[in-house]
Amino acid sequence: MADKDCLFCRILDGDIPADIVYESDTAIAFRDINPQAPTHVVIIPRKHIATINDIDADDQAIVGSLYTAASTIAREEGFSEQGYRAVMNCNKAAGQTVFHIHLHLLGGRVLTWPPG
Ligand code: 5GP
Ligand code: ZN
């Protein structure tokens, strides 16, 4: 299931260090190396899924677990009531650079809309 050429699979395998803030049976989360907000965490499934387009019907519980991870981390970071953003980019035009789906959790500042 792990892809040896995938950066996030390598983080999952412990080959590349990361500041992990959350772990469950289906997902892990770690601090983004290039944060765009006071808190910027990347939440990924343990299963390698390249893009939103590759999510199968069987993956719905896994993908749902990314959102329960987001609300848990937001509560722990202290901004669940203030507000935050959980967003996933798909493919080139949206700026996806790592092809293992991930939910960006951004919080700790006012976030403008629409994003660029
Ligand atoms: P994307 O552009 O694909 O939506 O998001 C990929 C994210 O992964 C970016 O925000 C980028 O800063 C982050 N990232 C890339 N390489 C690493 C890394 O080696 N470690 C961590 N913690 N984050 C990374
Ligand atoms: Zn992967």
Coordinates of all heavy atoms in Angstrom, one line a residue, residues 64-112:
G64 N -13.5 10.4 5.9 CA -14.3 11.1 7.0 C -13.4 11.2 8.2 O -13.5 12.2 8.9
S65 N -12.5 10.3 8.4 CA -11.7 10.3 9.6 C -10.7 11.5 9.6 O -10.2 11.9 10.6 CB -10.9 9.0 9.8 OG -9.8 8.9 9.0
L66 N -10.4 12.0 8.4 CA -9.5 13.2 8.3 C -10.2 14.4 8.9 O -9.5 15.2 9.5 CB -9.2 13.5 6.8 CG -8.6 12.3 6.0 CD1 -8.2 12.8 4.6 CD2 -7.3 11.8 6.7
Y67 N -11.5 14.4 8.8 CA -12.3 15.6 9.3 C -12.4 15.5 10.9 O -12.4 16.5 11.6 CB -13.6 15.7 8.6 CG -13.5 16.3 7.2 CD1 -13.2 15.4 6.2 CD2 -13.4 17.7 7.0 CE1 -13.0 15.9 4.9 CE2 -13.2 18.2 5.8 CZ -13.0 17.3 4.7 OH -12.8 17.8 3.4
T68 N -12.6 14.3 11.4 CA -12.7 14.1 12.8 C -11.3 14.4 13.4 O -11.2 15.0 14.5 CB -13.2 12.8 13.3 OG1 -12.5 11.7 12.6 CG2 -14.7 12.6 12.9
A69 N -10.3 14.1 12.7 CA -8.9 14.5 13.1 C -8.8 16.0 13.2 O -8.3 16.6 14.1 CB -7.8 13.9 12.2
A70 N -9.3 16.7 12.1 CA -9.2 18.1 12.0 C -9.9 18.8 13.2 O -9.3 19.7 13.9 CB -9.8 18.6 10.7
S71 N -11.1 18.3 13.6 CA -11.8 19.0 14.7 C -11.1 18.7 16.0 O -11.1 19.5 16.9 CB -13.3 18.6 14.7 OG -13.4 17.2 14.9
T72 N -10.6 17.5 16.1 CA -9.9 17.1 17.4 C -8.6 18.0 17.5 O -8.4 18.6 18.6 CB -9.4 15.7 17.3 OG1 -10.6 14.9 17.3 CG2 -8.6 15.3 18.6
I73 N -7.9 18.2 16.5 CA -6.6 19.0 16.5 C -7.0 20.5 16.8 O -6.4 21.2 17.5 CB -5.8 18.8 15.2 CG1 -5.3 17.4 15.1 CG2 -4.6 19.8 15.3 CD1 -4.9 17.0 13.7
A74 N -8.1 20.9 16.1 CA -8.5 22.3 16.2 C -8.8 22.6 17.7 O -8.5 23.7 18.3 CB -9.7 22.6 15.3
R75 N -9.5 21.6 18.3 CA -9.9 21.8 19.7 C -8.6 21.9 20.6 O -8.4 22.7 21.5 CB -10.8 20.7 20.2 CG -11.5 20.9 21.5 CD -12.6 19.9 21.7 NE -12.1 18.5 21.6 CZ -12.5 17.6 20.7 NH1 -13.4 18.0 19.7 NH2 -12.1 16.4 20.6
E76 N -7.7 20.9 20.3 CA -6.4 20.9 21.1 C -5.6 22.2 20.9 O -4.9 22.6 21.8 CB -5.6 19.7 20.7 CG -6.2 18.4 21.1 CD -5.5 17.2 20.5 OE1 -4.6 17.3 19.7 OE2 -5.9 16.0 20.9
E77 N -5.6 22.7 19.7 CA -4.9 24.0 19.4 C -5.6 25.2 19.9 O -5.0 26.3 19.9 CB -4.6 24.1 17.9 CG -3.7 23.0 17.4 CD -2.2 23.2 17.6 OE1 -1.8 24.4 17.4 OE2 -1.5 22.3 17.9
G78 N -6.9 25.1 20.3 CA -7.6 26.2 20.9 C -8.3 27.1 20.0 O -8.8 28.2 20.5
F79 N -8.6 26.7 18.8 CA -9.3 27.6 17.9 C -10.5 27.0 17.2 O -11.0 27.5 16.2 CB -8.3 28.2 16.8 CG -7.6 27.2 16.0 CD1 -8.2 26.3 15.1 CD2 -6.2 27.1 16.1 CE1 -7.5 25.4 14.4 CE2 -5.4 26.2 15.4 CZ -6.1 25.3 14.5
S80 N -11.1 26.0 17.9 CA -12.2 25.3 17.3 C -13.4 26.3 17.2 O -14.2 26.2 16.3 CB -12.6 24.0 17.9 OG -12.8 24.2 19.3
E81 N -13.6 27.1 18.3 CA -14.7 28.0 18.3 C -14.5 29.3 17.5 O -15.4 29.8 16.8 CB -15.1 28.4 19.7 CG -15.6 27.2 20.5 CD -16.7 26.4 19.9 OE1 -17.6 27.0 19.3 OE2 -16.6 25.2 19.9
Q82 N -13.3 29.8 17.5 CA -12.9 31.0 16.7 C -13.0 30.7 15.2 O -13.5 31.6 14.5 CB -11.4 31.3 17.1 CG -10.8 32.4 16.2 CD -9.3 32.5 16.4 OE1 -8.7 32.0 17.4 NE2 -8.6 33.0 15.4
G83 N -12.6 29.5 14.8 CA -12.8 29.1 13.4 C -11.4 28.8 12.8 O -10.4 29.2 13.3
Y84 N -11.5 28.0 11.7 CA -10.3 27.5 11.0 C -10.7 27.0 9.7 O -11.9 27.0 9.3 CB -9.7 26.4 11.9 CG -10.6 25.2 12.2 CD1 -10.6 24.1 11.3 CD2 -11.4 25.2 13.3 CE1 -11.5 23.0 11.6 CE2 -12.3 24.2 13.6 CZ -12.3 23.1 12.7 OH -13.1 22.0 13.0
R85 N -9.7 26.6 8.9 CA -10.0 26.1 7.6 C -9.5 24.7 7.4 O -8.3 24.4 7.9 CB -9.4 27.0 6.5 CG -9.8 26.6 5.1 CD -9.6 27.8 4.1 NE -10.5 28.9 4.4 CZ -10.2 30.1 4.1 NH1 -9.1 30.5 3.5 NH2 -11.1 31.1 4.4
A86 N -10.2 23.8 6.8 CA -9.7 22.5 6.4 C -10.0 22.3 4.9 O -11.1 22.3 4.5 CB -10.5 21.4 7.2
V87 N -8.9 22.2 4.2 CA -9.0 22.2 2.7 C -8.1 21.2 2.1 O -7.0 20.9 2.6 CB -8.7 23.7 2.2 CG1 -7.3 24.1 2.5 CG2 -9.0 23.9 0.8
M88 N -8.5 20.7 1.0 CA -7.7 19.7 0.2 C -7.6 20.1 -1.2 O -8.6 20.4 -1.9 CB -8.4 18.3 0.3 CG -7.5 17.2 -0.2 SD -8.4 15.6 -0.1 CE -8.4 15.3 1.7
N89 N -6.4 20.2 -1.7 CA -6.1 20.6 -3.1 C -6.1 19.4 -4.0 O -5.6 18.3 -3.6 CB -4.8 21.3 -3.2 CG -4.7 22.6 -2.4 OD1 -5.7 23.3 -2.3 ND2 -3.6 22.9 -1.7
C90 N -6.6 19.5 -5.2 CA -6.6 18.4 -6.1 C -6.0 18.8 -7.5 O -6.5 19.7 -8.2 CB -8.1 17.9 -6.4 SG -8.1 16.5 -7.5
N91 N -4.9 18.2 -7.7 CA -4.1 18.3 -9.0 C -3.6 19.7 -9.2 O -3.6 20.6 -8.3 CB -5.0 17.9 -10.2 CG -5.0 16.4 -10.3 OD1 -4.0 15.7 -9.9 ND2 -6.0 15.8 -11.0
K92 N -3.0 19.9 -10.3 CA -2.0 21.0 -10.6 C -2.7 22.4 -10.4 O -2.1 23.3 -9.8 CB -1.5 20.9 -12.0 CG -0.3 21.7 -12.3 CD 0.3 21.4 -13.7 CE 1.4 22.3 -14.1 NZ 1.8 22.1 -15.5
A93 N -3.8 22.6 -11.0 CA -4.4 24.0 -11.0 C -4.8 24.4 -9.6 O -4.9 25.6 -9.3 CB -5.7 24.0 -11.9
A94 N -5.0 23.5 -8.7 CA -5.3 23.8 -7.3 C -4.0 23.9 -6.4 O -4.1 24.2 -5.2 CB -6.2 22.8 -6.7
G95 N -2.8 23.6 -7.0 CA -1.6 23.7 -6.3 C -1.2 22.4 -5.5 O -0.3 22.5 -4.7
Q96 N -1.8 21.3 -5.9 CA -1.3 20.0 -5.2 C 0.1 19.7 -5.6 O 0.4 19.6 -6.8 CB -2.3 18.8 -5.5 CG -1.9 17.6 -4.8 CD -2.9 16.4 -5.0 OE1 -3.8 16.5 -5.8 NE2 -2.6 15.3 -4.3
T97 N 1.0 19.5 -4.6 CA 2.4 19.2 -4.9 C 2.8 17.8 -4.4 O 3.7 17.2 -4.9 CB 3.3 20.2 -4.3 OG1 3.1 20.3 -2.9 CG2 3.1 21.6 -4.9
V98 N 2.0 17.3 -3.4 CA 2.3 16.0 -2.9 C 1.1 15.1 -3.2 O 0.0 15.4 -2.8 CB 2.6 16.0 -1.4 CG1 2.8 14.6 -0.9 CG2 3.8 16.9 -1.1
F99 N 1.3 14.0 -4.0 CA 0.2 13.2 -4.5 C -0.1 12.0 -3.6 O 0.0 10.9 -4.0 CB 0.5 12.9 -6.0 CG 0.3 14.1 -6.8 CD1 1.4 15.0 -6.9 CD2 -0.9 14.4 -7.4 CE1 1.3 16.1 -7.7 CE2 -1.0 15.6 -8.1 CZ 0.0 16.5 -8.2
H100 N -0.5 12.4 -2.4 CA -1.0 11.5 -1.3 C -2.0 12.4 -0.6 O -1.5 13.5 0.0 CB 0.1 11.0 -0.4 CG -0.3 10.1 0.7 ND1 0.4 9.0 1.0 CD2 -1.3 10.3 1.6 CE1 -0.2 8.4 2.1 NE2 -1.2 9.2 2.5
I101 N -3.3 12.2 -0.7 CA -4.3 13.2 -0.3 C -4.0 13.6 1.2 O -3.5 12.9 2.0 CB -5.7 12.7 -0.4 CG1 -6.0 11.5 0.4 CG2 -6.1 12.5 -1.8 CD1 -7.5 11.1 0.6
H102 N -4.3 14.9 1.4 CA -4.0 15.5 2.7 C -4.9 16.7 2.9 O -5.2 17.5 2.0 CB -2.6 15.9 2.9 CG -2.0 16.7 1.7 ND1 -1.6 16.1 0.5 CD2 -1.8 18.0 1.5 CE1 -1.2 17.0 -0.3 NE2 -1.3 18.2 0.2
L103 N -5.5 16.8 4.1 CA -6.3 17.9 4.5 C -5.4 18.9 5.2 O -4.7 18.6 6.1 CB -7.4 17.4 5.4 CG -8.6 18.2 5.7 CD1 -9.4 18.5 4.4 CD2 -9.5 17.4 6.7
H104 N -5.4 20.1 4.6 CA -4.6 21.2 5.3 C -5.5 21.7 6.4 O -6.7 22.1 6.1 CB -4.3 22.3 4.4 CG -3.4 22.0 3.3 ND1 -2.0 22.3 3.4 CD2 -3.5 21.5 2.1 CE1 -1.4 21.9 2.3 NE2 -2.3 21.4 1.4
L105 N -5.0 21.8 7.6 CA -5.8 22.4 8.7 C -5.0 23.7 9.1 O -3.8 23.7 9.5 CB -5.8 21.5 10.0 CG -6.4 22.1 11.2 CD1 -7.8 22.5 11.1 CD2 -6.2 21.2 12.4
L106 N -5.7 24.9 8.9 CA -5.1 26.2 9.1 C -5.9 26.9 10.1 O -7.1 27.0 10.0 CB -5.1 27.0 7.8 CG -4.3 26.3 6.6 CD1 -5.1 26.5 5.3 CD2 -3.0 27.0 6.5
G107 N -5.2 27.4 11.1 CA -5.9 28.2 12.2 C -5.0 29.1 12.9 O -3.8 29.1 12.7
G108 N -5.6 29.9 13.8 CA -4.8 30.8 14.6 C -4.7 32.2 14.1 O -4.0 33.1 14.7
R109 N -5.4 32.5 12.9 CA -5.5 33.8 12.4 C -6.8 33.9 11.6 O -7.4 32.9 11.3 CB -4.3 34.2 11.5 CG -4.2 33.4 10.2 CD -3.1 34.0 9.3 NE -2.8 33.2 8.1 CZ -3.4 33.3 7.0 NH1 -4.5 34.1 6.9 NH2 -3.1 32.5 5.9
V110 N -7.2 35.1 11.2 CA -8.3 35.3 10.4 C -7.9 34.9 9.0 O -6.9 35.4 8.4 CB -8.8 36.8 10.4 CG1 -9.9 37.0 9.4 CG2 -9.3 37.1 11.8
L111 N -8.7 34.1 8.3 CA -8.4 33.6 7.0 C -9.3 34.2 6.0 O -10.6 34.2 6.2 CB -8.6 32.0 7.0 CG -7.7 31.3 8.0 CD1 -8.3 29.9 8.2 CD2 -6.3 31.2 7.4
T112 N -8.8 34.8 4.9 CA -9.6 35.5 3.9 C -10.3 34.4 3.0 O -9.8 33.3 2.8 CB -8.8 36.5 3.1 OG1 -7.7 35.8 2.5 CG2 -8.3 37.6 4.1

